[in-house]
Amino acid sequence: MTYQSTRGEDEGAGYSDIVLKGLAADGGLFMPRIYPQVTKTDLEDWRHLSYAELAFEILRLFATDIEEDTLKTMLAGVYREDVYNNGRTGEDFSKITPTRSIDGGKIRILELSNGPTLAFKDMAMQYLGALFEYILEKRNTELNILGATSGDTGSAAEYAMRGRKGVRVFMLSPEGRMSAFQRAQMYSLKDPNIFNIAVKGSFDDAQDIVKACSQDAGFKATYNIGTVNSINWARVSAQVVYYFKGWLEVTEKPGEVIDVTVPSGNFGNILAGWIAKQMGLPIGRLVVATNENDVLDEFFKTGVYRVRDSEHTFVTSSPSMDISKASNFERYIYDIVGRNAGRIRELWTQLALKGGFALTESEMAQVRESGFVSAKSTHADRINTIREVFEKEGLIVDPHTADGIFAARQYVRAGVKMLSLETALPAKFAATIQEAIGAAPEVPSSYVGIENREQHVTVMPADVGAVKKFISETLKA
C-alpha cells in the first residue's frame, strides 16, 4: 500500500513515512492510492474477533510496511480492557466500544469514550503513541509533535505520548474556549516531554499555525516536526476500525445496511466512516451533526463551503465542534472530484483567497450519491436532548453526543438501524449537564478534583513566529 497527496506532488510514500510526515510536502493530505476491499465473507468471519484482533485485520491492510507479528503485538498492547475502562459504572469494558439502545431501539449508541481521556480521540491516539515509539526507535530518531486541539485531541495526544521515548508534544489550544475539565486534563500534566500553548484566538487559528509550521520545509526538517491531528493518516485509519466494530455489534445478517450519525467538527471522525464505506462496509447514510458552527451543514445542503473567521466562529456548549475550517474535508472532496489533484488545488486556492468555494452541479450530484446528509443543533436543542435522554433512558450523554442524537432522530429510516457515535463522556462538560438535568455527571475516580490541580501552560498570540520561537528555544534549552 502506497500513499499520495490530495494535491498531487507527493506520491509513492509508505505508511511509516507518512505517519512521521503528517502533512504532505505540497500542503495536501495523504490518501491511500486505492482503498483496500473487504468482502461480506470477511465481515462474517470477523464477528467473533476481539477489538484488538479486528484492529489488526483492518490496519494490516493500510500498514503494509510493518511486519504483521509486530503490528498484532502492538495492537494487543493498545486495545486492552484496563486501558478502556473509564466509562460508566457497570459497563462491559471488555468490548472496548460497547453499544446501547435508546428511543425504543431506533438508535444505537456506539460508546467510544471509555479511554484514558474520556473521549473518542483515545481510540486512535493510544495506537498512534505506540506506533510513533516503534517507528522512531527503529529509525533511531526523534519527533517533535506540533498539534492543535479544540478540546479533546490535545489531552488524548498528551496522554498517549507522555513518557514515550523520542517524542515531545507541543499542543496549541484556543485560550478560554474549552471546558474547565478539558483545560485541566491537559494543563495539569507535568511530564517533561509535554508543552501546552494557549493561543489568543480560535481553534482554526491554532490549526492554521500547525499547518504553516508543517509547510515550512526548513523549520520542519530542522526540528523534526510531526503531527497528531487527524490530518495524520494513521489516526484516520485507526478510526476506521470502530465503524467495522459497531456494524458487527448491531447487525444480524450478512450485508445488512446501517446508517451512522457523527458529531463533526474537523471531519476526521466521519471521514473514517466514509473510508469504511468505500472499503465495502454496508453503510447507507452518513449523517453529519454540527452545532451553531454550521459550515458543514451549509455545505451539504447547498454545495457552498464557506469558512468563518475567528470572530464569527461561535463559542458554544459543544466546544470540541467549534471549528469552521475542517481539515479532513479535503480528503472527502478529493474522492468526490474523482481524485483530481488539480481540481483540489483550484478549490483550496479559492478557499485561501476568497474564504470558500462552490462545487459544480455534477460534483454535487456525487455528494448526494455519497450518502452524506446533515443537521444543525443549537444550545437549546442539545439541552433538551440531554434532558430527554436522561428522563426516558436514565442515561446522561455529553453535549456533542446530544448534537448527534438530535441529528440522528431526523434521519431514522424504517427498517434501517441508526448507529450514533458517542464522542465524549459527560464528566468533561459538567456545567452543561447541570443546566440540562439539574445534577452533576459521574466522574471517574481518577479524575475527581482534577480542576483544582496546578496547571502549566504558556499563553501567546496566535502568531506563527511566536510559536516557532517557543519551540526553538525550548528544544535548545
Side-chain angles (χ1 to χ4, degrees):
M1 173 68 73
T2 58
Y3 295 82
Q4 59 197 33
S5 169
T6 52
R7 302 189 190 180
E9 297 179 19
D10 201 337
E11 299 183 357
Y15 187 81
S16 296
D17 291 326
I18 67 168
V19 168
L20 297 185
K21 286 183 179 180
L23 197 68
D26 59 8
L29 304 180
F30 286 111
M31 291 282 277
R33 186 177 59 82
I34 57 171
Y35 289 123
Q37 296 300 296
V38 171
T39 67
K40 289 183 180 180
T41 301
D42 292 329
L43 290 172
E44 294 309 305
D45 288 345
W46 293 347
R47 284 197 184 272
H48 69 284
L49 298 183
S50 68
Y51 193 95
E53 291 167 339
L54 178 63
F56 170 72
E57 295 295 341
I58 301 298
L59 289 172
R60 71 186 181 91
L61 303 175
F62 294 107
T64 54
D65 60 354
I66 298 177
E67 292 184 4
E68 291 198 346
D69 286 346
T70 298
L71 183 63
K72 184 178 291 185
T73 300
M74 184 189 304
L75 293 168
V78 169
Y79 296 112
R80 310 190 319 265
E81 181 177 349
D82 62 313
V83 175
Y84 294 89
N85 66 351
N86 296 287
R88 299 173 178 86
T89 300
E91 190 58 84
D92 181 2
F93 298 123
S94 67
K95 292 185 176 182
I96 307 298
T97 57
T99 60
R100 65 172 66 215
S101 297
I102 64 170
D103 292 2
K106 292 180 180 179
I107 296 175
R108 316 292 176 93
I109 295 177
L110 181 64
E111 298 182 9
L112 302 176
S113 309
N114 297 332
T117 69
L118 320 184
F120 83 94
K121 306 293 176 74
D122 291 321
M123 295 305 304
M125 204 68 78
Q126 288 290 310
Y127 162 68
L128 198 59
L131 183 63
F132 272 142
E133 189 170 54
Y134 164 75
I135 295 173
L136 293 172
E137 183 175 2
K138 187 175 182 180
R139 298 188 177 191
N140 191 30
T141 188
E142 295 186 346
L143 188 69
N144 295 305
I145 292 169
L146 177 61
T149 183
S150 57
D152 292 328
T153 294
S155 56
E158 292 177 356
Y159 280 68
M161 304 299 164
R162 59 190 306 199
R164 295 281 186 187
K165 295 177 182 177
V167 182
R168 300 179 193 85
V169 178
F170 296 86
M171 187 57 62
L172 278 60
S173 56
E175 185 188 25
R177 293 188 179 220
M178 300 187 299
S179 74
F181 190 102
Q182 288 174 313
R183 290 195 298 272
Q185 266 191 317
M186 291 174 56
Y187 302 163
S188 64
L189 291 180
K190 300 179 181 179
D191 302 73
N193 69 326
I194 303 296
F195 303 92
N196 282 299
I197 302 169
V199 298
K200 296 180 178 180
S202 68
F203 166 78
D204 293 316
D205 294 321
Q207 184 166 249
D208 285 344
I209 291 171
V210 171
K211 287 187 175 182
C213 291
S214 295
Q215 289 169 358
D216 182 336
F219 181 81
K220 186 175 181 178
T222 299
Y223 296 105
N224 295 323
I225 300 296
T227 181
V228 291
N229 279 56
S230 53
I231 57 177
N232 192 310
W233 175 258
R235 264 196 55 197
V236 176
S237 64
Q239 289 174 262
V240 170
V241 176
Y242 54 69
Y243 283 87
F244 281 85
K245 186 63 173 175
W247 184 90
L248 291 166
E249 283 285 328
V250 304
T251 57
E252 301 166 87
K253 57 183 183 289
E256 181 179 350
V257 173
I258 67 169
D259 294 335
V260 185
T261 297
V262 187
S264 193
N266 217 17
F267 208 73
N269 196 357
I270 200 163
L271 177 79
W274 165 251
I275 293 161
K277 182 176 180 177
Q278 302 316 292
M279 292 172 67
L281 190 66
I283 294 175
R285 285 175 172 169
L286 284 159
V287 184
V288 178
T290 75
N291 63 12
E292 292 89 338
N293 296 296
D294 58 351
V295 173
L296 293 172
D297 183 48
E298 180 181 52
F299 169 79
F300 284 107
K301 286 183 166 65
T302 68
V304 175
Y305 184 61
R306 182 174 60 90
V307 302
R308 321 290 197 258
D309 58 20
S310 297
E311 185 179 347
H312 296 94
T313 299
F314 304 114
V315 178
T316 77
S317 52
S318 50
S320 296
M321 293 158 60
D322 291 349
I323 297 171
S324 290
K325 193 184 296 181
S327 281
N328 276 287
F329 192 59
E330 181 172 338
R331 284 183 164 122
Y332 169 70
I333 297 297
Y334 181 62
D335 280 345
I336 289 299
V337 300
R339 298 198 152 203
N340 183 335
R343 179 60 170 153
I344 289 296
R345 291 194 299 272
E346 179 185 352
L347 291 173
W348 259 256
T349 297
Q350 290 181 32
L351 181 63
L353 296 177
K354 301 179 181 179
F357 59 75
L359 295 189
T360 65
E361 181 52 41
S362 62
E363 289 167 343
M364 270 309 292
Q366 292 300 310
V367 169
R368 289 188 288 271
E369 180 68 21
S370 74
F372 273 84
V373 292
S374 65
K376 169 186 174 180
S377 179
T378 66
H379 177 73
D381 295 326
R382 71 184 62 96
I383 290 294
N384 289 335
T385 301
I386 293 169
R387 183 180 298 121
E388 289 174 4
V389 172
F390 176 65
E391 291 176 350
K392 293 179 180 178
E393 315 286 348
L395 174 69
I396 304 176
V397 296
D398 87 287
H400 309 79
T401 303
D403 287 335
I405 293 170
F406 180 79
R409 286 172 167 171
Q410 298 176 47
Y411 287 102
V412 169
R413 296 190 287 172
V416 180
K417 296 184 176 74
M418 174 64 81
L419 188 66
S420 190
L421 272 53
E422 179 176 61
T423 55
L425 286 183
K428 303 188 81 166
F429 308 97
T432 303
I433 302 303
Q434 184 76 39
E435 178 183 350
I437 67 172
E442 176 185 4
V443 177
S445 59
S446 61
Y447 281 109
V448 172
I450 189 172
E451 293 172 23
N452 298 322
R453 297 175 191 171
E454 182 181 3
Q455 298 187 8
H456 311 272
V457 61
T458 301
V459 180
M460 64 179 65
D463 177 74
V464 176
V467 172
K468 285 182 176 179
K469 181 180 179 182
F470 179 86
I471 292 172
S472 173
E473 292 179 349
T474 298
L475 296 178
K476 289 177 181 177

